[in-house]
Amino acid sequence: MSLFTFSHVTFRYPTQTERPALDDLSLTIPEGEKIVVLGRNGSGKSTFLLHLNGLLRPKHGQILFRGEPLDYSRRGLKRLRQQVALVFQNPDDQLFSASVFQDISFGPLNLGLSEEEAWARVREAAAICNIEHLLERPTHALSGGEKARVALAGVLAMRPDVLALDELMASLDPWGRAKIRDILDGYHARNKTVLLISHDLGLVKHWSTWVIVIHQGKAVFSGRVEDLLDDQGIMDETGLLAIWREAMQDCL
């Protein structure tokens, strides 16, 4: 089943005078996959991600979610964002409450849940992310890895169907990345969809089940990992072939 369908989507930031951030981008995103989005810096990956829950709206083209056009009304966006949760690259852009407990409870309380149900959601999300011991800590006193897990817990407390992350693991050490992968695997095992922007080709080969490649604002590939690795044209055009060879050489 198709989760998202992008049809000829174009988006240009007000300051852009040359090529738009998304340039006639078309692709279909399947449901229930572990998806990695690849592309060079400036290719349009983050802009693409921000369209998934309506933070950005196409200038041209259309986006469908489960077969229905996105509803950009206030009510429609609230419903969409309950189902599609974003986690930003820098957790500090997402954490704004004084304590970890307050930050995680913000979303459930905004859903109109009772305090009892909201607190239950907080405890559930904290257990998933292994941060129960941090609930009373001030958010500013956390390490980078702890902040990443608290940011994740904040969106997991909303119980979304889709989790989209913008290079959340880029600045973490191997232990921190492994912790985040474990959380994402547990979330995906509940028949959820995970979509992650990353430059880590090891993550592509050993973790993902689906890959999207964005190049100069266009989706030049969307499919299985093995099909991407077999497509020498796309790998060469996007610069992934040289990066892949270098990564494989480093493993020797």
Side-chain angles (χ1 to χ4, degrees):
M1 178 180 178
S2 295
L3 183 66
F4 280 97
T5 301
F6 281 61
S7 298
H8 305 289
V9 170
T10 296
F11 180 86
R12 185 190 300 272
Y13 292 99
T15 56
Q16 285 184 304
T17 58
E18 300 180 357
R19 175 180 53 81
L22 299 183
D23 186 8
D24 196 37
L25 182 148
S26 295
L27 63 80
T28 297
I29 302 175
E31 190 155 9
E33 303 285 353
K34 295 191 291 188
I35 303 165
V36 171
V37 182
L38 292 173
R40 295 176 178 176
N41 290 338
S43 62
K45 302 185 303 297
S46 294
T47 302
F48 162 73
L49 198 76
L50 293 174
H51 278 75
L52 295 179
N53 79 342
L55 283 176
L56 293 180
R57 183 173 181 174
K59 304 302 180 184
H60 302 287
Q62 186 181 54
I63 302 172
L64 305 181
F65 178 62
R66 290 175 171 158
E68 296 293 331
L70 291 194
D71 177 0
Y72 293 95
S73 69
R74 184 174 180 177
R75 182 178 180 181
L77 288 176
K78 181 179 180 180
R79 184 167 56 249
L80 175 66
R81 290 167 186 170
Q82 290 174 16
Q83 300 174 80
V84 182
L86 300 188
V87 182
F88 300 116
Q89 180 175 2
N90 184 353
D92 286 327
D93 293 336
Q94 201 149 343
L95 305 178
F96 54 86
S97 298
S99 74
V100 170
F101 187 95
Q102 290 173 338
D103 210 278
I104 300 173
S105 66
F106 178 83
L109 289 173
N110 267 7
L111 292 178
L113 301 178
S114 67
E115 286 192 356
E116 182 180 2
E117 176 62 20
W119 302 166
R121 295 267 191 115
V122 170
R123 290 190 292 271
E124 174 188 84
I128 291 171
C129 296
N130 193 25
I131 55 169
E132 300 100 318
H133 61 293
L134 299 177
L135 287 175
E136 301 306 321
R137 290 271 297 276
T139 53
H140 71 267
L142 303 174
S143 69
E146 289 169 342
K147 287 180 178 180
R149 283 185 284 151
V150 171
L152 257 180
V155 298
L156 291 178
M158 304 281 285
R159 296 181 181 171
D161 293 328
V162 184
L163 189 59
L165 307 95
D166 190 354
E167 295 195 65
L168 181 67
M169 295 189 284
S171 61
L172 301 181
D173 60 22
W175 184 88
R177 292 196 296 271
K179 283 288 185 181
I180 297 296
R181 284 197 303 272
D182 287 345
I183 295 168
L184 298 182
D185 283 338
Y187 171 82
H188 175 260
R190 296 157 58 190
N191 297 316
K192 307 293 187 179
T193 302
V194 181
L195 188 144
L196 172 66
I197 291 177
S198 179
H199 293 285
D200 185 350
L201 292 180
L203 200 66
V204 172
K205 185 172 178 61
H206 301 295
W207 181 82
S208 67
T209 60
W210 195 269
V211 183
I212 295 168
V213 181
I214 297 179
H215 183 63
Q216 297 183 352
K218 298 180 182 293
V220 297
F221 181 87
S222 180
R224 297 290 174 190
V225 179
E226 56 271 21
D227 294 331
L228 172 63
L229 299 180
D230 287 340
D231 194 328
Q232 297 295 301
I234 292 295
M235 293 284 285
D236 191 39
E237 175 191 359
T238 58
L240 289 172
L241 184 59
I243 297 171
W244 183 259
R245 286 173 173 166
E246 182 179 341
M248 292 301 99
Q249 185 66 33
D250 290 343
C251 292
L252 297 178

